[in-house]
Amino acid sequence: MTTALGTLTKARALPVAAPGTITRRTHPLWFLLPAYAILLIFFVLPTVYQFAYAFTDWSGFKASINPVGVDNFVQLASDGTLFRALRITVVYAVLVAIFQNLFGFGLAVLLERDTVINRIARTFLMLPVLMSALAVGYIFQALLKHTGALADTTWTIVVVSLIHAWKWMGLAMLIYLAGLKTVPEDVVEAARIDGASPWRAFWAVRVPLLAPAITFNVATALLGSMNGFDVVQATTGGGPARTTELLNIFIYRTFGQGLFAQATTMSLVLFLLVALLAFPVIVLLRRREEIL
Amino acid sequence: MSRRLQPVAAILLVAALIGVPLWLVVATAGKSRAEAVDPNLSPPGQWHLFDNLRQVWTEADVPAAFFGSLLIVVPTVAGVLILGSMAAWILARRTSRLTAALYALGISGIILPPAVVTVVLLLRQLGLAGTALGMIGVYLGIYLSTVIFFVTGFVRTIPAALEEAARIDGAGPVDVFRRIVLPLLRPVLATATILICLYVWNDVFYAFFVVGGRLDTLPLNLFRVASAGLYLNNWHLIFAYVILMSLPLIVVFAVAQRKIISGITGGAVK
């Protein structure tokens, strides 16, 4: 009896003693293989290439590719293109993040109750999200053609970031709506009973609980618009006087001219910029979430 | 806000924010060329909407571009969902330093921008330059991250006991994945489907680098029509094209609306 029990427990204990075996058999690593092979070939490898080809004279005008050191960086920095495109891209991303969240938050608060009108309104607000950014750009080019809003060298960048925010505000609204729904009704009720005004109950109880939605919305708007192209290309094409030329518009234009190495250099700069910005942004937002 | 004022405010806001741009598209697409030269919000003297749609359909090669778009979107979405959920299942269930590192690598593509210029060189070396297969590979590489991120989070909420029952009955990993895990993933896969469809259907930037000039997709074609059209002031044709291109997605969204919205909001914010 005891021996039988002994063998039984021993047999049962075996997988626990060797924790790798059970997962190896039930969740085999080869399931990862196809996805990671594709990631490696089509995502990691081209990214690694950037670190090599940014330092060459690769172009559409000759067959050979030769190393040229930091010439591409020096040239882009000395004619001012590098820092202008960097500045424009960062300004654009920050403005988009601000506008998109203000619009999304405002709409979520306005359309929060589940009435018929609100539901229809929300559906209409999803239309720009579904439309191609290129189409959105053409619509606003037509709307603003005669107002001069797309011809000012200082303010056009603000206008295009407003358009980008307009396209995505529906999605931001949905995520804020979901955040507002997660706040339990009785918590708000308790605040009311404690004598809080509706205004104070809203800002002190419900808004702080939106932290995860804010994290998601700010991070995706900021990092997503770093990679912006369509909206601006369709509204201004980078003008007037190259004041809305985002990094991706520069890359697109330079590639079209056959200057592949220069386009690669800028693409590498964009990669480094996003990588550098992403980590502090995410850490900062996560920490804010914990405090609140 | 007071309960009586809110509906009025909601209607006015949506009319201004969405109604005006939408009316511009429909009204301009309904105008004759002479009327549409200077786009404005006035209604067309006489509606030419169907004439313009027909003209775009035949002259701008819409059927070919539509076929090109489908040829790329369908395999991309199928591939990204299947391969992404396979990987996500393992990443969620196995907890080791290796899988944690692989997960970090797998989701890095959500943030980091793809290398659009050197991918062209790589595709040339692989003999895939300008082909639909190359384009699909590039999109898979870009959007696998999104699927891995969403699905891994979702798998962690599914109790492992559901898989055990099947294993005791003698099912291997492939059967467990196909019969138990995949059906349970339906809600998150529905959301991922619409998101990836949206991105790939509307993409012009990556398509320009990979297949531009060799294969037509709807956005690439719109870009070409518009680049030529703005010079010729063919606004009526540009907006007719915009309507043709947006309709399929709007129909898909209208049909699957409730599921999509609950999926997006449930997945993004914990």
Side-chain angles (χ1 to χ4, degrees):
Chain A
M1 187 67 196
T2 19
T3 38
L5 204 79
T7 36
L8 226 154
T9 39
K10 210 187 269 170
R12 292 202 55 144
L14 199 66
V16 182
T21 46
I22 181 114
T23 48
R24 205 179 298 153
R25 228 177 308 129
T26 58
H27 298 96
L29 280 180
W30 67 259
F31 262 70
L32 298 173
L33 219 68
Y36 279 85
I38 285 172
L39 274 176
L40 196 71
I41 296 172
F42 292 104
F43 192 80
V44 178
L45 216 55
T47 305
V48 173
Y49 271 27
Q50 281 188 153
F51 286 87
Y53 287 93
F55 302 93
T56 66
D57 63 354
W58 177 34
S59 83
F61 307 114
K62 47 193 198 139
S64 64
I65 301 175
N66 305 301
V68 292
V70 292
D71 278 11
N72 293 321
F73 292 92
V74 170
Q75 198 216 320
L76 286 169
S78 64
D79 70 7
T81 308
L82 177 68
F83 297 111
R84 187 186 54 224
L86 272 174
R87 195 189 64 234
I88 291 168
T89 308
V90 172
V91 167
Y92 181 72
V94 170
L95 288 175
V96 168
I98 294 171
F99 292 141
Q100 196 170 308
N101 280 280
L102 285 179
F103 295 167
F105 179 76
L107 289 169
V109 172
L110 177 69
L111 303 175
E112 197 201 337
R113 280 188 305 131
D114 275 321
T115 61
V116 177
I117 289 178
N118 286 355
R119 262 195 227 130
I120 296 170
R122 288 181 213 152
T123 310
F124 270 99
L125 287 162
M126 284 306 284
L127 276 180
V129 178
L130 299 175
M131 283 169 75
S132 93
L134 207 58
V136 167
Y138 294 132
I139 293 171
F140 279 93
Q141 197 197 335
L143 267 177
L144 300 173
K145 215 175 173 201
H146 300 293
T147 61
L150 296 172
D152 188 293
T153 50
T154 313
W155 295 104
T156 304
I157 187 76
V158 181
V159 177
V160 287
S161 58
L162 278 167
I163 299 170
H164 189 124
W166 178 86
K167 189 205 179 307
W168 290 105
M169 67 187 174
L171 198 59
M173 170 195 73
L174 272 192
I175 288 159
Y176 280 123
L177 276 173
L180 286 171
K181 287 240 162 69
T182 58
V183 183
E185 206 50 53
D186 49 344
V187 177
V188 184
E189 205 68 22
R192 291 266 175 82
I193 292 164
D194 287 349
S197 64
W199 180 258
R200 204 175 140 69
F202 177 74
W203 286 104
V205 178
R206 304 190 69 201
V207 172
L209 287 163
L210 284 177
I214 297 174
T215 305
F216 184 86
N217 273 338
V218 171
T220 50
L222 197 63
L223 301 169
S225 55
M226 286 273 185
N227 221 0
F229 172 76
D230 321 33
V231 170
V232 183
Q233 177 66 34
T235 34
T236 67
R242 299 176 75 177
T243 51
T244 59
E245 192 177 74
L246 305 175
L247 277 164
N248 271 344
I249 292 183
F250 177 87
I251 292 167
Y252 162 80
R253 207 168 49 78
T254 315
F255 181 85
Q257 291 165 351
L259 302 167
F260 302 147
Q262 276 199 29
T264 309
T265 305
M266 277 302 220
S267 183
L268 178 62
V269 167
L270 176 68
F271 179 87
L272 295 174
L273 175 70
V274 174
L276 264 167
L277 244 150
F279 295 105
V281 165
I282 290 168
V283 170
L284 200 85
L285 290 169
R286 281 273 169 213
R287 195 177 305 154
R288 215 188 64 84
E289 233 174 82
E290 279 159 25
I291 293 167
L292 288 166
Chain B
M1 186 174 302
S2 93
R3 302 220 150 191
R4 218 173 310 153
L5 237 112
Q6 188 274 340
V8 181
I11 292 169
L12 285 179
L13 197 71
V14 171
L17 274 177
I18 309 292
V20 170
L22 212 62
W23 167 250
L24 176 83
V25 173
V26 177
T28 311
K31 285 178 182 176
S32 64
R33 173 152 196 262
E35 268 186 306
V37 164
D38 258 333
N40 55 46
L41 293 171
S42 63
Q46 206 182 352
W47 283 91
H48 298 282
L49 185 58
F50 289 100
D51 293 334
N52 290 338
L53 289 176
R54 201 174 308 128
Q55 194 187 342
V56 166
W57 184 270
T58 50
E59 282 177 24
D61 287 331
V62 173
F66 189 82
F67 179 73
S69 277
L70 276 183
L71 185 72
I72 287 166
V73 171
V74 174
T76 299
V77 171
V80 93
L81 292 183
I82 295 168
L83 305 186
S85 357
M86 277 171 69
W89 178 48
I90 304 299
L91 292 172
R93 290 296 190 226
R94 293 181 70 138
T95 46
S96 67
R97 214 170 289 166
L98 173 71
T99 48
L102 283 174
Y103 178 68
L105 173 75
I107 64 165
S108 64
I110 293 182
I111 295 162
L112 299 174
V116 281
V117 185
T118 43
V119 87
V120 176
L121 186 72
L122 181 88
L123 290 174
R124 256 182 230 165
Q125 291 167 347
L126 294 172
L128 294 173
T131 66
L133 200 63
M135 187 76 253
I136 294 164
V138 171
Y139 283 139
L140 287 178
I142 297 173
Y143 297 119
L144 267 172
S145 293
T146 311
V147 175
I148 289 176
F149 174 70
F150 274 91
V151 178
T152 306
F154 193 85
V155 173
R156 290 196 177 124
T157 67
I158 300 176
L162 290 171
E163 294 175 27
E164 261 162 49
R167 268 205 303 279
I168 288 164
D169 289 344
V174 176
D175 279 322
V176 172
F177 177 72
R178 208 163 50 91
R179 302 230 188 115
I180 311 291
V181 179
L182 218 46
L184 288 169
L185 293 179
R186 210 173 289 153
V188 72
L189 292 185
T191 310
T193 305
I194 190 75
L195 271 183
I196 311 288
C197 273
L198 206 70
Y199 293 147
V200 179
W201 186 265
N202 287 331
D203 171 60
V204 69
F205 187 60
Y206 306 120
F208 169 80
F209 285 90
V210 177
V211 293
R214 314 254 200 115
L215 187 86
D216 238 354
T217 66
L218 287 168
L220 276 178
N221 205 20
L222 169 64
F223 194 30
R224 216 189 38 229
V225 168
S227 303
L230 293 180
Y231 169 69
L232 299 166
N233 273 318
N234 280 329
W235 283 102
H236 61 309
L237 296 182
I238 294 174
F239 286 131
Y241 202 108
V242 166
I243 293 176
L244 278 179
M245 177 179 157
S246 310
L247 270 182
L249 267 189
I250 291 172
V251 170
V252 169
F253 186 81
V255 171
Q257 191 201 13
R258 193 162 299 168
K259 189 176 258 179
I260 291 160
I261 289 185
S262 69
I264 291 177
T265 51
V269 198
K270 301 159 293 163

